[in-house]
Amino acid sequence: MQAQLDISNLSKNFGGLQALKGIDLSFQKGELVGLIGPNGSGKTTLLNIIGGYYDASGGAVTLEGRKIDGLSPSTLARLGIGRSFQMTKVFKRLTVLENMLVGALADWGLTRKAAEDKARGVLDKLKLTRLADSPASSLSGGQAKLLEFGRVMMLDPKIVLLDEPFGGVHPELKRFMYEKITEWNDAGATIILISHDMGSIFGLCRRVVTLSYGDIIADGDPETVRNDPAVLEAYLGDHHAA
Amino acid sequence: MTLLQKILLALVVLAAVLPMVGVPQYWLYTLTIGLYYAMLASSWSLLVGYIGRISFAQAAMSGLGAYVAVLTGQLLGWPVVPSLIAGVVAAGLFGLMIGWLTLRLHGAYLGLTTIAFAEILRITVTAEHQVTQGSRGLQVRPLIEGAGPVTYYYIFLAAAVVSVLLMLALLHSRIGLFFQAIREDEDGTASLGVNVTLWKSLAFAASTAFAGFAGGLYAHFVQLITPSMMSMQEMGYILAMAVIGGFSNVVYAAFGGVILQVLLEALREMGEWRLAVFGVIAILMLRFAPNGIFGWLETRLKRKDK
Ligand SMILES: Nc1ncnc2c1ncn2[C@@H]1O[C@H](COP(=O)(O)OP(=O)(O)OP(=O)(O)O)[C@@H](O)[C@H]1O
Ligand SMILES: [Mg+2]
């Protein structure tokens, strides 16, 4: 079966630094994959390339058989790739509700009324209703994460890229996010989840990919990866061959 | 409606009755020019305040609209209305081009590039004197044959009100929301499927089209245009007007235009010093009341409500 998202020999250099060293990865439709690795191992860089924010230095990314290198982030979003950011990118001077509407209104087929109804429904689940008309600048870090998660929910993406979505989020709402991620996944969406929160990764994902210094050092089911000496070494070792 | 909105609406109504209560022609003339600046300051704030792109080409775009309107009339014999439209389209297309060419530029780089575009345009108009009469200036037919100051005043009042209303309609549509999202975070906006490239270019085009309209009208009102209407000094006035009125809101910027033009006339004895004074005021505003007089009033009045 052809992979939904295929990454082949992908590399990314920042000046002299090789953030990704020619990695191969493919994702089938409906997978729920955890992406882990120490700080600076290249996780966010990989997401940025898949999402069109960075150009790759080499290699290719293919979405449903179509090369997507060079497509803009907005085009990719419209092709069904939704993402959240490690450093949240909420629109601070817009209200929480307006933040939610931007993505929905990018679809010209949707009326403002319909978009608003949908947004209010999502905000309710995220316990942000009370803040709907406040500027997003008034949100806490955890609430900003939730808002970004909500903005992704508004898009109904078929591929969801989540970069540290749980940082600072209240446990109860984290459970809601778990449920939503599972629900998306059950409905056929492919999910790539980056998190340093191992409880979330191993609780949710059926496959875990580990990056270290721009290379994939492990890729398999959670149990195997958890016990992989290379993974333990990457996380615990204080030295690493450059 | 907030108290401030009521006050501003009352000012517009007052403006509409001014000619009937015997305001001297000289001041009507001044106010007419003020309304020209209102259109320029608000069109500038449409770009700077909402999508967060800086431009110093607004005066040049007004000049482009003016010269295209006048020259299509003189060289091609077009009637006034089609030639005004030609000016709007020319300025809009030029703005689209600037917007598209400067997509990846921000801050100082963007500002400097727009200065370059503005100066190239001004110098071209000055140099092409066979066509434009250069700095001697170009005679322009009147907007309406034999119309007096009161007629012009009403035309400019209507034009300014309609321009600002059109801008507000645009800004309250989903496009306005896209603009503001782009101002806040381009990558964040793109991640939601909004075509950032398209809207950044079109915001420039919309802003400059309004400037071109203002310029065309102005040309047919003053009936003599020179390249100095495209100068950085003019741009300085527009900037000061928008900043002092409040460039985060097109309505506030428009009022800034009228108020500063009236002050410019009232302080005539100060000559060139006026620009320096307004510059200092604008700088102080940016430091202490970044939302301008009306933005400051808005927060003051809101606080009182509570
Ligand atoms: N825009 C950039 N310019 C220069 N270097 C960059 C850039 N983005 C990432 N890097 C570098 O690339 C490497 C990988 O960074 P990346 O952000 O992908 O790591 P990460 O796995 O997401 O780390 P973390 O867990 O801390 O989020 C790091 O060494 C980082 O400094
Ligand atoms: Mg990261």
Side-chain angles (χ1 to χ4, degrees), chain A residues 12-15 17-20 36-48 54 86 163-164 194 196 211 214:
Chain A
K12 177 69 187 174
N13 306 329
F14 294 108
L17 179 94
Q18 272 190 293
L20 293 174
I36 62 171
N39 293 122
S41 55
K43 305 179 297 293
T44 299
T45 302
L46 177 60
L47 242 57
N48 278 334
Y54 290 167
Q86 182 170 11
D163 199 347
E164 297 289 353
I194 295 178
H196 283 293
L211 278 176

Side-chain angles (χ1 to χ4, degrees), chain B residues 37-50 54-55 58 234-261 278 281-283 285-286 289-295:
Chain B
Y37 282 117
M39 287 186 261
L40 290 184
S42 56
S43 68
W44 187 77
S45 82
L46 175 69
L47 185 69
V48 183
Y50 293 83
I54 189 86
S55 171
Q58 214 64 7
E234 280 294 304
M235 186 62 232
Y237 282 127
I238 298 167
L239 192 149
M241 288 161 169
V243 167
I244 292 172
F247 68 89
S248 58
N249 186 311
V250 287
V251 178
Y252 300 169
F255 275 94
V258 177
I259 290 171
L260 244 73
Q261 178 55 27
F278 288 145
I281 296 176
I283 290 166
M285 295 290 295
L286 282 173
N291 296 324
I293 300 174
F294 296 105

Side-chain angles (χ1 to χ4, degrees), chain A residues 53 73-74 77-78 81 83 85 89 91-94 98-99 101-103 105-108 110-112 151 155, chain B residues 49 172-175 177-178 180-185 187-196 199 248 291:
Chain A
Y53 301 87
S74 62
R78 267 174 280 129
I81 299 184
R83 80 166 290 185
F85 295 88
K89 292 182 179 293
F91 311 130
K92 293 213 171 81
R93 281 153 74 195
L94 298 187
E98 285 168 335
N99 265 270
L101 292 178
V102 173
L105 293 176
D107 169 6
W108 287 82
L110 205 65
T111 65
R112 194 162 185 130
R151 292 199 314 203
L155 302 175
Chain B
H172 283 118
S173 75
R174 64 179 78 198
I175 297 170
L177 187 65
F178 298 160
Q180 295 173 73
I182 290 169
R183 176 192 68 204
E184 297 298 301
D185 196 302
D187 280 347
T189 309
S191 78
L192 302 174
V194 174
N195 191 335
V196 172
W199 297 116
S248 58
N291 296 324

